Amino acid sequence: EKRTGMADEKRRELVAYHEAGHALMAALTPGFDEVGKITIPRSNGAGGFTLFLPSDEQQDSGMYTRSYLEGRLKVALGGRVAEELAYGKDEITTGASADLQSVASLARRMV
């Protein structure tokens, strides 16, 4: 076990669920960006990462519709939902907390 208090294999599994949650929500959200890559750490260190590839049109315009921004909120929460489904609400990690901060920030900017 490392400083996280979690064995590497269990941590990798949790990160895999979390990142898969983001990717699954993206796939289920109409008009959302394509998933380009998902990384799961080999050992303790940085958490995982899901890379999204916006369409050329989206990237060129720099303009976001309300439905796209709502999709971003859903996708950001997908990791937290996946952790909760896999491990229960008492075992959600700080990775999910970072997603909540991201959602709160985006929601404030949308108002």
Side-chain angles (χ1 to χ4, degrees):
E1 292 190 26
K2 306 286 185 187
R3 62 184 166 90
T4 61
M6 188 180 296
D8 276 349
E9 198 55 38
K10 180 175 178 181
R11 182 176 187 282
R12 286 179 48 141
E13 179 182 281
L14 185 140
V15 171
Y17 275 115
H18 184 97
E19 297 307 325
H22 290 308
L24 184 58
M25 281 305 298
L28 294 173
T29 302
F32 198 74
D33 302 336
E34 183 179 325
V35 175
K37 182 178 185 178
I38 300 172
T39 62
I40 309 298
R42 288 200 171 122
S43 61
N44 196 19
F49 181 74
T50 303
L51 174 69
F52 298 101
L53 304 173
S55 68
D56 289 340
E57 180 183 319
Q58 182 75 48
Q59 206 165 7
D60 290 344
S61 76
M63 303 291 286
Y64 301 100
T65 64
R66 180 177 183 88
S67 64
Y68 177 82
L69 294 174
E70 288 173 353
R72 281 186 59 184
L73 296 173
K74 293 173 190 176
V75 171
L77 292 172
R80 177 184 170 84
V81 171
E83 284 189 34
E84 185 173 338
L85 290 172
Y87 298 104
K89 69 179 182 176
D90 292 335
E91 298 300 318
I92 296 170
T93 66
T94 56
S97 297
D99 292 337
L100 287 177
Q101 289 175 352
S102 172
V103 165
S105 174
L106 177 57
R108 275 192 295 278
R109 291 182 305 213
M110 287 174 67
V111 173

